[in-house]
């Protein structure tokens, strides 16, 4: 039997609130990947704008950034600015979902609690090997409801959808069903729903442009969307203000550092809609909004296996090399490989984006 390779989490990007992101050292941003503290003990990461939640293999959730605390007995976690959701063991037996105000530091009484059926667990939990745990939240383990940052916090889903994955953006939701089809709903003024218009959808609507193509994974950014097909193709659509769709963008010629861009953001880590709507009038050779899914050509003909979206950036893990995305602190509308992992003979297995940072799980590459 092949020996399991030990992996570790790395982080890079914005860390202005002191959230765990490599060494940090009081910097506003980490420009190159750095291993997280106790990186080999971390099995799950969920990042919001001002804080990050880490879950260890022992079930301990650790918050860093604008909120700093820890609690035991955690099976899954989902971090957002308005709500922190954890799945925790109950005293005795069973588990429960708890929704907290992030600033509460998991002290006092949660805003909302729901008991879960015995045996409900996070995806990948208790499975052998060194793979990271990828939780289901904000989709509940029953796959019949999902969490939102606004009351009533728990929203039901139609049982006929047979949900495999659900992702939330700033104003929209993406759903992947067991048949590999994609549904979207919510706000659409930046083309993030992929239906060809800028209209909102109140209920899950099938993405007709992708009908007949089986998708393996979906990811929702601030106002853009990505999905990975079972054959390794990337489809991407929505707002392209910072080149997050890898399509020509005006901001690609007006490069700014992370510090300069951060001064334009509110406490949710998202810029005002006025700026987004102003981009609709961009010159024809720039693409400000892509309302239909566009097939993305990755460098060297690479096949994708995973993707994740931040507020205005996208990260992709490829099948052949296990590399992804960006390196420096300027905006770009071209996919760029992160050389850090190549140089250190590391194979990327998972990626998760916060609004303005990126976390990567990698293992040592096998010698062939």
């Amino acid at each position: 039997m092949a020996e399991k390779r030990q992996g570790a989490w790395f982080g890079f990007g914005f860390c202005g609130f002191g959230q765990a992101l490599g060494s940090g050292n009081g910097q506003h941003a980490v420009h190159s990947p750095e291993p997280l503290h106790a990186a080999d003990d971390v099995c799950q990461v969920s990042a919001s704008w001002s804080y990050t939640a880490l879950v260890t293999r022992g079930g301990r959730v650790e918050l860093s950034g604008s909120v700093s605390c820890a609690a035991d007995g955690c099976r899954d976690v989902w971090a957002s600015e308005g709500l922190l959701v954890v799945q925790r063991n109950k005293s005795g037996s069973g588990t429960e979902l708890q929704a907290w105000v992030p600033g509460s530091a998991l002290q006092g009484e949660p805003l909302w609690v729901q008991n879960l059926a015995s045996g409900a667990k996070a995806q990948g939990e208790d499975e052998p090997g060194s793979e990271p745990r990828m939780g289901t939240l904000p989709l509940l383990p029953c796959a019949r409801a999902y969490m939102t940052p606004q009351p009533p916090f728990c929203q039901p889903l139609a049982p006929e959808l047979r949900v495999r994955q659900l992702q939330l953006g700033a104003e929209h939701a993406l759903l992947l069903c067991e048949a590999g089809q994609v549904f979207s709903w919510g706000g659409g003024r930046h083309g993030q729903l992929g239906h060809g218009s800028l209209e909102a959808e109140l209920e899950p609507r099938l993405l007709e442009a992708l009908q007949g193509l089986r998708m393996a994974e979906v990811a929702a950014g601030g106002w853009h969307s990505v999905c990975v097909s079972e054959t390794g193709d990337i489809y991407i659509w929505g707002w392209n203000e910072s080149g997050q769709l890898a399509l020509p963008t005006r901001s690609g010629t007006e490069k700014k550092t992370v510090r300069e861009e951060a001064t334009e953001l509110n406490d949710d880590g998202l810029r005002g809609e006025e700026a987004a709507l102003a981009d609709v009038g961009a010159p024809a050779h720039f693409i400000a909004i892509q309302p239909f899914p566009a097939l993305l050509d990755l460098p060297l003909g690479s096949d994708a296996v995973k993707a994740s979206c931040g507020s205005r950036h996208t990260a992709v893990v490829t099948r052949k090399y296990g590399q992804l995305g960006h390196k420096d602190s300027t905006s770009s509308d071209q996919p760029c490989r992160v050389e850090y992992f190549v140089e250190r003979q590391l194979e990327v297995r998972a990626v998760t984006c916060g609004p303005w940072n990126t976390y990567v799980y990698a293992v040592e590459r096998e010698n062939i």
Side-chain angles (χ1 to χ4, degrees), residues 3-356:
E3 181 181 351
K4 296 293 183 181
R5 291 175 287 166
Q6 184 65 47
W9 282 93
F10 300 78
F12 51 101
F14 176 72
C15 58
F17 292 92
Q19 54 265 65
L21 198 69
S23 62
N25 294 327
Q27 302 176 71
H28 190 81
V30 175
H31 293 163
S32 182
E34 294 183 5
L36 302 186
H37 175 67
D40 57 349
D41 190 45
V42 175
C43 65
Q44 184 184 351
V45 178
S46 181
S48 186
W49 165 242
S50 66
Y51 73 100
T52 295
L54 306 178
V55 181
T56 69
R57 299 187 188 281
R60 184 175 178 82
V61 60
E62 300 177 354
L63 307 184
S64 63
S66 62
V67 183
S68 181
C69 67
D72 293 321
C74 179
R75 294 191 174 199
D76 197 1
V77 65
W78 178 61
S80 70
E81 288 301 293
L83 202 67
L84 171 66
V85 181
V86 293
Q87 181 184 347
R88 300 179 72 179
N89 297 325
K90 293 174 60 178
S91 57
S93 62
T95 67
E96 65 181 14
L97 281 177
Q98 301 174 349
W100 297 82
V101 175
S104 68
L106 299 174
Q107 299 296 315
E109 294 295 325
L111 294 172
W112 178 91
V113 176
Q114 178 175 307
N115 291 324
L116 298 177
S118 178
K121 63 180 184 178
Q123 180 180 337
E125 183 183 357
D126 298 329
E127 294 177 1
S130 60
E131 292 303 300
R133 179 192 304 173
M134 305 304 290
T136 64
L137 289 174
L139 180 67
L140 270 60
C142 65
R144 292 290 180 265
Y146 66 99
M147 302 296 298
T148 67
Q150 295 82 30
F153 302 128
C154 186
Q155 297 286 345
L157 289 165
E160 60 268 21
L161 288 175
R162 297 180 58 82
V163 186
R164 185 196 306 177
Q165 185 190 12
L166 184 141
Q167 293 276 296
L168 296 182
E171 299 175 342
H172 73 296
L174 290 180
L175 182 154
L176 178 67
C177 74
E178 292 291 351
Q181 299 298 289
V182 179
F183 295 76
S184 64
W185 69 99
R189 68 184 65 193
H190 305 124
Q192 65 266 49
L193 299 184
H195 301 303
S197 74
L198 307 184
E199 300 297 321
E201 295 289 341
L202 298 180
E203 300 293 336
R205 177 181 170 185
L206 177 66
L207 212 60
E208 295 179 2
L210 299 177
Q211 194 169 6
L213 300 172
R214 290 184 63 90
M215 298 297 147
E217 187 168 299
V218 295
W223 293 282
H224 71 290
S225 304
V226 176
C227 60
V228 182
S229 75
E230 291 187 351
T231 57
D233 290 324
I234 287 280
Y235 294 87
I236 194 163
W237 63 95
W239 192 32
N240 192 46
E241 188 272 348
S242 293
Q244 57 264 52
L245 306 188
L247 299 173
T249 178
R250 179 169 55 194
S251 65
T253 62
E254 300 172 356
K255 297 186 182 297
K256 304 174 184 178
T257 67
V258 171
R259 179 179 294 275
E260 290 170 333
E261 289 178 319
T263 62
E264 302 173 351
L265 306 176
N266 60 26
D267 57 4
D268 289 327
L270 303 171
R271 223 173 69 177
E273 293 180 5
E274 294 82 3
L277 294 174
D279 276 349
V280 175
H285 56 284
F286 297 128
I287 299 176
I289 290 178
Q290 172 68 32
F292 283 109
L295 178 63
L296 174 63
D297 289 328
L298 292 174
L300 305 177
S302 306
D303 290 336
V305 290
K306 295 182 182 298
S308 185
C309 299
S311 176
R312 290 190 281 174
H313 74 291
T314 303
V316 173
V317 180
T318 62
R319 188 186 314 276
K320 183 176 180 181
Y321 298 107
Q323 283 103 32
L324 64 155
H326 240 302
K327 184 174 183 179
D328 60 22
S329 62
T330 56
S331 298
S332 173
D333 56 15
Q334 296 293 321
C336 301
R337 188 174 68 179
V338 176
E339 298 297 334
Y340 176 95
F341 301 104
V342 183
E343 295 165 356
R344 289 159 180 78
Q345 294 295 303
L346 296 173
E347 179 183 337
V348 172
R349 294 291 186 85
V351 60
T352 183
C353 294
W356 278 84

